[in-house]
Amino acid sequence: MCRNIKTLFNFEPPATEDEIHASALQFVRKLSGFNKPSQANELAFERAVTEVAEAARKLLTSLHTQAPARDREVEAEKARERSRLRFGS
C-alpha cells in the first residue's frame, strides 16, 4: 500500500513541509479512493490531509536514531538503479 510515499525520516536535510504534505495527501488519497474529492467531500478530505500531515510532523520530530543521516541524492540513485533492474533501461 502507498508505494509512492517516500521515507522521510533520517535524511539530511530533514523533510520539508512540502514533502510531509505530499506524503499526507498521497496517504489520504489511498485511504479514500479519491484522487480529487467531490465538493461534498472536499472539506473532510482537506481536514484529513492536514491532520495526517500534523501527525507525520509530530512523528518525525519525536523519532531518534544513532544511524547517520542518509543522503537524498544517494538514496535517489539507489532507487533509480532498482527501477532500471526491475523495468530495464
Side-chain angles (χ1 to χ4, degrees):
M1 181 173 136
C2 300
R3 285 181 248 187
N4 293 334
I5 296 176
K6 306 294 186 240
T7 300
L8 299 179
F9 177 63
N10 197 28
F11 278 99
E12 193 56 46
T16 65
E17 287 299 314
D18 286 343
E19 289 172 316
I20 293 170
H21 182 269
S23 179
L25 177 61
Q26 192 67 21
F27 183 72
V28 172
R29 284 177 173 167
K30 185 69 169 187
L31 286 178
S32 67
F34 299 137
N35 189 35
K36 181 173 172 31
S38 65
Q39 278 187 313
N41 293 317
E42 191 170 12
L43 184 60
F45 187 89
E46 289 302 322
R47 183 173 42 245
V49 171
T50 299
E51 290 173 1
V52 169
E54 181 60 29
R57 193 175 305 102
K58 286 179 184 178
L59 174 64
L60 291 171
T61 59
S62 67
L63 293 174
H64 300 283
T65 184
Q66 296 298 320
R70 294 176 284 180
D71 182 278
R72 290 177 187 282
E73 280 304 313
V74 170
E75 295 301 318
E77 183 54 40
K78 287 179 188 177
R80 285 189 288 272
E81 182 59 26
R82 284 190 304 270
S83 179
R84 277 192 290 273
L85 290 173
R86 184 174 180 192
F87 302 111
S89 58

